[in-house]
Amino acid sequence: MIIKISVSTDRIDKPIIAESILETGTLLNISQAHFDSIHGEIIADVPKNDFEKFSESLISKGAKVVQLDMPVNRDDDECVNCGACVSICPMKVFKIGEDWSVNMESENCIQCGTCIKTCPHGALSIQNFME
């Protein structure tokens, strides 16, 4: 289960992720992380049966947790098959087809949002991304 963990300024200097891992015994696979002086955000894959206890632990420590259960969506009316998403996607969700159209394998999506930022037509979106 893919989740987004957001940590605010007042909690960014605390090891709340590590504490929650130790407290719950949950193993997670971090696919993307960004931290700066005012905010932290992690996209991670957590075992489905551990989500509730891990989420509760993080929330009790001041983090916000959102389940990202929808892969990238493409608005076919906006997409012009330019291919900007193909080379930028770390998981190779997008591929150029025989007919030069952009094809998607949504099951590979880790919801990192890189394609959303890159799409010149705004044809891509992810539910709960950048909230």
Side-chain angles (χ1 to χ4, degrees):
M1 170 177 299
I2 299 174
I3 63 171
K4 177 176 74 171
I5 305 164
S6 299
V7 183
S8 64
T9 306
D10 60 331
R11 294 288 183 191
I12 206 161
D13 62 339
K14 311 275 189 277
I16 65 173
I17 307 290
E19 289 173 352
S20 294
I21 290 169
L22 291 171
E23 181 181 303
T24 63
T26 300
L27 298 177
L28 65 140
N29 183 28
I30 297 173
S31 59
Q32 188 175 44
H34 172 76
F35 287 87
D36 57 32
S37 61
I38 59 169
H39 184 255
E41 189 171 274
I42 293 174
I43 306 295
D45 193 1
V46 176
K48 195 172 196 170
N49 57 339
D50 290 341
F51 170 73
E52 190 172 326
K53 68 180 176 182
F54 189 64
S55 177
E56 288 173 1
S57 177
L58 287 167
I59 291 168
S60 74
K61 292 170 179 46
K64 180 180 175 186
V65 180
V66 176
Q67 181 181 347
L68 300 176
D69 54 2
M70 299 294 294
V72 66
N73 295 310
R74 177 175 57 190
D75 180 343
D76 290 328
D77 293 332
E78 271 308 310
C79 180
V80 295
N81 292 298
C82 68
C85 54
V86 175
S87 63
I88 200 74
C89 179
M91 298 306 292
K92 309 297 182 213
V93 170
F94 305 96
K95 294 182 172 46
I96 301 289
E98 294 283 327
D99 62 353
W100 293 98
S101 65
V102 176
N103 300 318
M104 289 178 54
E105 294 179 8
S106 296
E107 64 277 4
N108 295 340
C109 182
I110 60 169
Q111 302 175 22
C112 67
T114 304
C115 61
I116 294 169
K117 298 171 192 168
T118 303
C119 181
H121 283 264
L124 302 171
S125 64
I126 295 177
Q127 179 183 1
N128 293 325
F129 186 76
M130 301 301 280
E131 281 189 349

